[in-house]
């Protein structure tokens, strides 16, 4: 995060600000704005959980359904000490526009629990997850609202949610969550879908700007599900991933890090820190490295007015949700940096979540290559649609993506009309 943040703007403030920019460009009426801008439903839950020491600890959790105009709410569940209702509302809002950008029949939702899973045992995490799942049970369901993994949640967490939901209904309902283990009705290719989608959009941007991926220098902030897979694909397409970070630190090698070895190192030690043939650098230095591609793949507001001036990349691919503040957006735009906005760049995850849901509903499962081919088509078509709006209307890629997503939600909402 930038050091000299002047105004404390929240992720939801950014989401609202970017909504208005796109709504203005679309000339949306105030009536339609009022119908689509705000979350439809917010549930806040208190979760008492028995910890391994025998005591009961209380956690706060949320599930926000921003929109069900185009289909069931869809969006991940985050476990992180920084989770707030404001953040979950922002993430749910972005999910609505994201599903519409890639034109899958879902609305937007998001969930979160304020906790530090790194300090919890597997048993504590299971108890927390089952209690959270039962607390949000009235909202979720394969036709209502379908959670998925996000920061510090994974396929095991989804398995516990699927089981808790199924036990209360009395029969197995795999379609209530996506990002499940394959053995429970997960989709091949879901685990790497977000990073793969990021990579496809980077390929499109690089083609557009005539920057060869082969030989390009890339920096990746956040080395989890989204960041590590994007790094791996860049590496296997002969880009040099010169710096990578996670919550514990950053590592750098001017000649390119050995990404398969780094993935191994992170698996063994829990962090990228201490990787062989790398030197530690500070986060601020990493964001300012001379490179072609910068991928923020951690949390919101990592590029703000204080550090945006330092960014030297030609392309910023937002694997994370909301990593660039609106002020930083303006700075990057003035510097001529091409930003692939989050609701396009990281939409591969929800796209394959949609494929998983379709397979669960049909009880018919696809081969991995089929998933990749369909994902590539969706990501590249969506990129072309957003790029066309960007070029035709002379708006930023973010506003173009928001215009595409918001216009589809506005159309669906208007066609449905106002109940009652
Ligand atoms: P993850 O839990 O797998 O990984 C998060 C990574 O970020 C970890 O390596 C962690 O150490 C690192 N991190 C945390 N704080 C950091 C900091 N201050 N500086 C640098 N690194 C830091 O989570 P993920 O699923 O990869 O999610 C990352 C981002 O991608 C989030 O914004 C998430 O909303 C977004 N996203 C994820 C998916 C998905 O399918 N997993 C889909 C779309 C968007």
């Amino acid at each position: 995060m930038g050091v000299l943040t002047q105004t404390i703007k929240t992720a939801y403030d950014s989401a609202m600000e970017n909504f208005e920019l796109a709504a203005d460009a679309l000339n949306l009426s105030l009536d339609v704005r009022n119908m689509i801008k705000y979350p439809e439903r917010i549930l806040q839950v208190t979760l008492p959980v028995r910890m391994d020491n025998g005591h009961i600890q209380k956690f706060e959790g949320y599930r926000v359904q921003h929109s069900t105009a185009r289909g069931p709410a869809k969006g991940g569940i985050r476990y992180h000490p920084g989770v707030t209702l404001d953040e979950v509302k922002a993430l749910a809002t972005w999910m609505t526009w994201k599903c519409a950008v890639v034109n899958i029949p879902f609305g937007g939702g998001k969930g979160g629990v304020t906790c530090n899973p790194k300090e919890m045992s597997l048993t504590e995490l299971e108890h927390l997850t089952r209690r959270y799942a039962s607390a949000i049970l009235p909202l979720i369901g394969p036709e209502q609202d379908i959670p998925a993994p996000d920061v510090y949640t994974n396929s095991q967490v989804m398995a516990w949610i699927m089981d808790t939901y199924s036990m209360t209904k009395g029969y197995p309902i795999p379609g209530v969550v996506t990002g499940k283990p394959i053995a429970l009705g997960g989709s091949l290719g879901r685990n790497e879908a977000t990073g793969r989608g990021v990579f496809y959009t980077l390929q499109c941007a690089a083609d557009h700007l005539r920057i060869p991926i082969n030989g390009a220098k890339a920096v990746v902030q956040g080395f989890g599900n989204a960041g590590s897979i994007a790094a791996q694909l860049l590496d296997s397409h002969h880009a040099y991933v010169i710096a990578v970070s996670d919550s514990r630190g950053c590592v750098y090698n001017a000649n390119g890090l050995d990404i398969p070895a780094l993935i191994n190192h992170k698996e063994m030690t829990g962090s990228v820190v201490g990787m062989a043939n790398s030197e530690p650098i500070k986060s601020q230095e990493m964001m300012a490295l001379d490179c072609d591609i910068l991928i923020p793949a951690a949390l919101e507001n990592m590029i703000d007015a204080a550090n945006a001036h330092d960014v030297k990349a030609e392309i910023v691919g937002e694997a994370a949700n909301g990593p660039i503040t609106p002020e930083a957006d303006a700075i990057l735009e003035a510097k001529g940096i091409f930003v692939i906005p989050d609701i396009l760049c990281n939409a591969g995850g929800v796209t394959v979540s949609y494929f998983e849901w379709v397979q669960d509903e049909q009880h018919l499962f696809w081969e991995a290559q089929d998933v990749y081919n369909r994902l590539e088509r969706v990501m590249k078509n969506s990129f072309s649609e957003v790029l066309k709006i960007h070029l035709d209307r002379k708006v930023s890629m973010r506003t173009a993506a928001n215009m595409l997503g918001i216009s589809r939600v506005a159309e669906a909402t208007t066609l449905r009309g106002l109940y009652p």
Side-chain angles (χ1 to χ4, degrees):
M1 202 178 314
V3 188
L4 288 172
T5 309
Q6 280 148 357
T7 47
I8 301 180
K9 198 172 271 186
T10 67
Y12 191 59
D13 293 335
S14 298
M16 294 295 98
E17 202 168 317
N18 286 326
F19 170 84
E20 290 298 340
L21 278 179
D24 287 348
L26 288 167
N27 235 341
L28 274 195
S29 71
L30 186 58
D31 285 353
V32 173
R33 290 182 204 215
N34 280 335
M35 285 168 77
I36 67 172
K37 181 174 173 180
Y38 306 100
E40 280 175 21
R41 241 182 231 119
I42 295 176
L43 178 65
Q44 177 166 356
V45 293
T46 300
L47 309 167
V49 175
R50 190 171 303 281
M51 307 301 278
D52 291 347
N53 64 9
H55 289 296
I56 289 175
Q57 194 171 324
K58 165 185 87 71
F59 298 89
E60 295 300 316
Y62 311 92
R63 184 73 191 170
V64 174
Q65 293 177 349
H66 175 264
S67 173
T68 54
R70 302 178 72 254
K74 184 85 190 81
I77 290 172
R78 180 173 293 192
Y79 286 178
H80 192 273
V83 164
T84 60
L85 176 57
D86 180 281
E87 179 185 57
V88 180
K89 277 163 61 185
L91 291 163
T93 309
W94 289 325
M95 285 307 298
T96 302
W97 318 139
K98 186 184 302 181
C99 292
V101 164
V102 285
N103 214 0
I104 56 178
F106 285 141
K110 201 84 181 190
V113 178
T114 316
C115 64
N116 189 352
K118 289 183 180 171
E119 289 173 357
M120 296 170 70
S121 70
L122 204 61
T123 314
E124 290 170 338
L125 271 180
E126 179 173 356
H127 290 164
L128 173 69
T129 300
R130 288 187 182 278
R131 182 69 191 215
Y132 173 67
S134 61
I136 63 166
L137 203 100
L139 291 200
I140 61 174
E143 308 298 335
Q144 282 171 268
D145 181 351
I146 307 135
D150 190 71
V151 173
Y152 298 162
T153 56
N154 55 22
S155 59
Q156 177 61 73
V157 172
M158 294 308 115
W160 290 326
I161 297 178
M162 178 267 182
D163 183 68
T164 306
Y165 185 83
S166 299
M167 292 309 286
T168 65
K169 299 288 172 186
Y171 59 100
I173 308 173
V176 65
V177 284
T178 57
K180 293 178 295 293
I182 304 296
L184 293 178
S187 175
L188 294 171
R190 171 61 185 92
N191 190 44
E192 62 267 40
T194 304
R196 189 170 275 275
V198 169
F199 177 71
Y200 291 144
T201 62
L202 285 170
Q203 277 186 319
C204 293
D207 276 358
H208 170 62
L209 300 171
R210 297 179 203 287
I211 299 169
I213 293 273
N214 188 333
K217 282 197 252 170
V219 169
V220 182
Q221 179 196 48
F223 205 62
N225 177 283
S228 68
I229 304 286
Q232 203 174 18
L233 285 165
L234 282 167
D235 178 67
S236 64
H237 286 76
H238 312 294
Y240 298 102
V241 181
I242 58 170
V244 153
S245 70
D246 63 17
S247 60
R248 299 193 196 155
C250 317
V251 291
Y252 170 69
N253 181 332
N255 298 317
L257 295 156
D258 180 343
I259 296 300
L262 185 56
I263 288 173
N264 224 359
H265 176 81
K266 172 129 184 156
E267 254 170 38
M268 304 293 287
T269 67
S271 174
V272 298
V273 172
M275 170 67 190
N277 299 321
S278 78
E279 52 181 285
I281 55 167
K282 296 215 161 61
S283 171
Q284 295 99 303
E285 287 173 64
M286 188 185 86
M287 300 303 270
L289 282 173
D290 204 353
C291 62
D292 303 287
I293 299 168
L294 172 63
I295 305 179
L299 298 168
E300 299 89 56
N301 298 341
M302 301 302 256
I303 303 178
D304 61 16
N307 64 357
H309 290 286
D310 300 334
V311 174
K312 297 189 187 67
E314 304 212 35
I315 303 171
V316 179
E318 289 187 316
N321 286 305
I324 304 178
T325 65
E327 293 73 20
D329 254 340
I331 296 167
L332 298 185
E333 201 178 349
K335 285 170 68 115
I337 295 173
F338 189 90
V339 173
I340 314 171
D342 47 8
I343 60 170
L344 170 64
C345 190
N346 70 34
V350 76
T351 301
V352 177
S353 272
Y354 166 57
F355 297 161
E356 179 174 334
W357 178 79
V358 168
Q359 293 170 74
D360 288 338
E361 296 290 286
Q362 297 184 337
H363 309 281
L364 182 65
F365 290 87
W366 309 349
E367 287 174 14
Q369 197 54 50
D370 200 8
V371 172
Y372 298 153
N373 293 346
R374 286 172 187 261
L375 173 64
E376 182 167 5
R377 253 194 329 266
V378 168
M379 296 306 295
K380 294 192 168 173
N381 286 345
S382 305
F383 185 95
S384 299
E385 286 186 278
V386 173
L387 184 69
K388 185 168 181 339
I389 300 171
H390 162 68
L391 297 173
D392 289 353
R393 296 290 306 271
K394 301 194 174 24
V395 292
S396 70
M397 281 291 283
R398 184 178 318 285
T399 298
N402 278 322
M403 285 170 71
L404 182 62
I406 290 169
S407 64
R408 285 181 173 151
V409 176
E411 185 190 4
T413 303
T414 310
L415 284 168
R416 283 178 63 163
L418 186 61
Y419 176 87

